[in-house]
Amino acid sequence: QVQLVESGGGLAQPGGSLRLSCAASGSTLDGYGIGWFRQAPGKEREGVSYISRRNGWTGYGEFVKGRFTISRDNAKNTVYLQMNSLKPEDTAVYYCAAARRLILNWAVPGSYEYWGQGTRVTVSS
């Protein structure tokens, strides 16, 4: 069983950047597909990005394409989400999630077995 801990959230100005980290313990992350999700107050949790466990295939929500980049460092057992050109609408709690089984739709929260506790991102001037 893998435990996930997110970090790197905080306050950023519009147009600024943050890098979120998802650190794993209890198991190596290279055996899992990793997704990033976010949930704003009063809204449903939505898929932000995904990186596969085998060939490193990546996926992004339309609302972050060209601004966010997901990557993984297996040596550090960590997955990152680099967020650039932040907008106020990116404000949310960001979660990472891990799936050992085959994922048919990475943007569906039910595809994942393990979740972190979340890190809050606020984009405001």
Side-chain angles (χ1 to χ4, degrees), residues 10-119:
L11 176 64
Q13 292 191 338
S17 298
L18 286 173
R19 188 177 78 158
L20 305 184
S21 299
C22 174
S25 61
S27 184
T28 55
L29 272 185
D30 59 1
Y32 296 82
I34 303 297
W36 281 99
F37 287 76
R38 69 186 186 185
Q39 189 165 18
K43 294 188 176 181
E44 292 187 353
R45 193 166 297 191
E46 62 181 355
V48 176
S49 186
Y50 171 80
I51 187 164
S52 70
R53 63 177 177 173
R54 295 193 184 278
N55 57 11
W57 179 89
T58 58
Y60 296 92
E62 285 297 323
F63 48 88
V64 301
K65 275 186 177 179
R67 300 190 297 124
F68 292 8
T69 304
I70 191 171
S71 62
R72 66 193 308 158
D73 185 336
N74 289 335
K76 295 184 177 180
N77 220 25
T78 300
V79 171
Y80 302 99
L81 185 68
Q82 178 67 43
M83 306 189 297
N84 298 328
S85 302
L86 284 164
K87 304 176 181 179
E89 51 264 43
D90 294 320
T91 296
V93 177
Y94 284 70
Y95 301 88
C96 66
R100 195 163 187 88
R101 61 194 180 207
L102 178 65
I103 287 181
L104 298 180
N105 186 339
W106 67 264
V108 174
S111 299
Y112 300 83
E113 298 112 271
Y114 306 102
W115 290 82
Q117 83 292 345
T119 185

